[in-house]
Amino acid sequence: MTTRSDNRTKNTSNGSEIFEKVLNLNIQGIDLLLKDMFTKVSHSENWDLPEKESKRLITQIGKKKRIIKSSFVFQLKKNFTDFKAVRKTRLHENMSSDWLALGPVGDNERNETRELESMISRFEDRYNEYYQLTAKRLGHCVNRTRTELHDNPMHVKRLFQSFQYAIDSLGLETRHKISLYRLFANAVIEKLEPLYNSVEQCFIEHHVLPDLKLIPKKSPAQESSKQSVPNDSVAMARIPVLMGVFQTFKDKSEFTGDKYANMFPELKGELANHQISEFDHLLDQLCKKFDFIFDDDDLPDRIKGQIARLQIYLFMSSIQESDLLKRSSNPARRLLDTIIRTEVDFAVGQHDEQSGFEYLRDQIDRISNNPFIESSAYAELLEGYLEYTSGKDGSQKAVVEPLLPRTEPEPEP
């Protein structure tokens, strides 16, 4: 049996090589997209400018396109180098993540910043889940243990930053820059999906999947011999299917108030429709645990409703950590146990005013915007919940003993 640590050793032994392959894929893909963008420069309909200004800008870009391209590639490489080096302090990371706000600020700069932020927001939502996964996989290649979504050197924010630097030497007026940003967005950013898919395929081919362990459906011969032979093409095909299912159930969980339902039977059925059955046992376990929660008559419905919103995220976390809800020390397990016991105590003691409902609602709103919820987020939510509820009566609530029944791990076949 291959352990998580074994996978890390295997993957990181040639991690730098994989990292370089991903960088080269980006350079090649962006180069093609920039060439396509430059072919569109000469078409005046691509510019929201008077004809005379458009012609002057077209001429200027035509003379400088090699400089623009080389400057962009230089900055793109620097983004990857910075990610790999991890020399920045937390303060420097926080400052550099707000690069749009740096430098002198006047009306022109503010207009430029607003336009860039609008475009970034537009595309960030589209590619959000991809960025979270690839940032972790790139970090896995270079032994970087902590990554944030915006650290990803392929993030649209980083690409717009690179393009901003690339055209800086042209000395353009703000409205000309904005027109060029719009062309860049339509000709490059809009068409990133094939490049991102090729990077995803590269990770799969090299078995760099630290955050989503996909088990291909075995043939009868494989089942009988109890062998698990990786099938990268099958795994790759399943990623968009799983992501689509995850997103559907994320949308289903976006309710508030006292509505709740155990979504695991439906989720199991949906995965079965796509011939994905390797998670059935995990889904059955989660189904039982949430039946246990929802059948608790002393737990207020509005609290059940908030806990229900975490179901799909707990499933995704459980794919990564098979014993997530078995270990009482796990942050997700402790969070559920603590909320349930504390809120039951409040309800039974008729102290509804001490409930942490509002805190849970607001914080789950916040963290549910992420493609995955990491263990640290569950731990932070638990810590904040305890502080919030203790502040209402002046006494700190103790962390409770495990409430959910333990399930002993089944022996490996």
Side-chain angles (χ1 to χ4, degrees):
M1 177 180 172
T2 303
T3 64
R4 179 181 291 265
S5 60
D6 292 332
N7 278 331
R8 176 169 289 276
T9 301
K10 177 182 178 181
N11 289 336
T12 55
S13 62
N14 62 346
S16 294
E17 181 182 343
I18 299 168
F19 189 88
E20 289 300 317
K21 287 183 179 181
V22 172
L23 171 57
N24 289 331
L25 283 172
N26 275 270
I27 292 173
Q28 294 165 11
I30 293 293
D31 181 69
L32 291 173
L33 291 172
L34 286 175
K35 285 180 180 178
D36 182 59
M37 184 190 79
F38 287 127
T39 63
K40 293 179 169 62
V41 166
S42 60
H43 301 291
S44 58
E45 64 268 18
N46 289 319
W47 307 101
D48 186 20
L49 294 169
E51 184 176 355
K52 186 176 181 179
E53 290 188 37
S54 296
K55 289 181 178 179
R56 187 168 67 249
L57 183 58
I58 289 168
T59 301
Q60 192 172 6
I61 294 171
K63 293 178 179 178
K64 300 284 189 178
K65 62 183 180 181
R66 287 188 179 180
I67 294 175
I68 294 172
K69 188 188 295 186
S70 61
S71 297
F72 186 94
V73 172
F74 172 82
Q75 189 61 37
L76 179 64
K77 289 180 179 178
K78 184 178 183 298
N79 291 341
F80 274 84
T81 301
D82 288 346
F83 180 92
K84 189 174 183 179
V86 201
R87 294 193 188 99
K88 295 178 289 186
T89 63
R90 183 177 291 252
L91 174 62
H92 186 211
E93 285 180 346
N94 289 340
M95 290 175 63
S96 62
S97 67
D98 292 329
W99 58 271
L100 290 173
L102 300 180
V105 178
D107 289 341
N108 288 336
E109 287 78 10
R110 278 191 286 268
N111 289 337
E112 182 180 348
T113 298
R114 279 195 295 268
E115 186 71 24
L116 282 167
E117 287 178 337
S118 175
M119 284 187 264
I120 289 167
S121 177
R122 168 186 161 197
F123 291 104
E124 187 175 33
D125 292 341
R126 179 188 301 185
Y127 301 127
N128 194 52
E129 290 192 1
Y130 173 86
Y131 291 139
Q132 189 74 29
L133 289 171
T134 53
K136 290 183 178 298
R137 290 169 185 175
L138 283 171
H140 186 70
C141 289
V142 296
N143 288 320
R144 177 170 174 166
T145 56
R146 178 179 175 271
T147 59
E148 303 292 341
L149 184 143
H150 288 101
D151 291 340
N152 193 327
M154 293 176 281
H155 194 283
V156 288
K157 188 171 185 178
R158 301 298 173 199
L159 296 179
F160 272 110
Q161 176 190 28
S162 298
F163 190 67
Q164 186 184 41
Y165 285 136
I167 66 172
D168 187 55
S169 63
L170 276 63
L172 300 175
E173 297 180 31
T174 298
R175 64 179 183 275
H176 295 168
K177 287 183 182 179
I178 290 174
S179 292
L180 199 48
Y181 292 146
R182 289 172 180 168
L183 178 62
F184 177 73
N186 293 330
V188 177
I189 306 298
E190 186 79 45
K191 299 179 180 179
L192 284 172
E193 190 168 348
L195 169 60
Y196 289 163
N197 287 338
S198 67
V199 171
E200 188 70 19
Q201 184 175 1
C202 179
F203 283 131
I204 292 170
E205 288 173 352
H206 293 86
H207 311 293
V208 183
L209 296 167
D211 283 294
L212 187 60
K213 295 181 291 185
L214 299 177
I215 306 171
K217 191 173 181 60
K218 302 182 183 70
S219 66
Q222 290 172 326
E223 286 286 359
S224 62
S225 63
K226 292 187 172 66
Q227 293 177 346
S228 178
V229 180
N231 185 331
D232 292 339
S233 62
V234 174
M236 183 182 176
R238 287 177 172 216
I239 286 178
V241 171
L242 279 170
M243 289 305 171
V245 172
F246 291 164
Q247 188 58 53
T248 297
F249 281 83
K250 286 179 191 177
D251 295 341
K252 287 177 180 288
S253 68
E254 282 305 305
F255 49 67
T256 56
D258 58 0
K259 298 178 183 177
Y260 61 90
N262 191 329
M263 66 168 54
F264 292 111
E266 183 184 357
L267 176 55
K268 182 178 177 180
E270 182 64 24
L271 291 176
N273 290 338
H274 296 285
Q275 298 184 323
I276 298 175
S277 60
E278 56 264 34
F279 305 123
D280 285 359
H281 183 62
L282 172 60
L283 288 166
D284 289 341
Q285 288 183 318
L286 289 166
C287 183
K288 290 178 182 178
K289 292 182 187 299
F290 275 83
D291 277 342
F292 178 84
I293 294 171
F294 295 151
D295 288 343
D296 189 338
D297 293 334
D298 291 326
L299 186 65
D301 285 347
R302 63 178 187 167
I303 299 298
K304 293 177 183 177
Q306 294 307 311
I307 292 175
R309 298 174 63 192
L310 295 172
Q311 289 177 94
I312 185 64
Y313 294 96
L314 287 167
F315 171 60
M316 290 189 288
S317 298
S318 297
I319 292 175
Q320 302 169 57
E321 302 178 57
S322 59
D323 60 347
L324 181 138
L325 290 179
K326 296 175 185 177
R327 291 184 292 109
S328 60
S329 60
N330 185 281
R333 172 70 181 267
R334 291 178 62 229
L335 174 67
L336 288 180
D337 292 345
T338 303
I339 291 172
I340 294 166
R341 180 61 60 85
T342 304
E343 294 295 334
V344 165
D345 286 347
F346 289 153
V348 171
Q350 297 184 344
H351 297 298
D352 290 344
E353 72 283 355
Q354 294 177 221
S355 171
F357 167 76
E358 292 181 356
Y359 178 83
L360 290 174
R361 180 195 61 203
D362 294 343
Q363 292 305 307
I364 293 174
D365 282 346
R366 179 180 62 82
I367 64 175
S368 62
N369 288 323
N370 299 320
F372 292 94
I373 299 179
E374 299 181 352
S375 293
S376 59
Y378 293 119
E380 289 172 7
L381 181 55
L382 172 59
E383 182 180 356
Y385 172 81
L386 289 171
E387 290 179 0
Y388 181 87
T389 53
S390 68
K392 288 195 168 188
D393 68 351
S395 62
Q396 178 67 49
K397 300 291 181 299
V399 178
V400 300
E401 292 298 318
L403 175 64
L404 299 180
R406 292 193 183 196
T407 305
E408 294 300 324
E410 296 184 357
E412 292 291 336

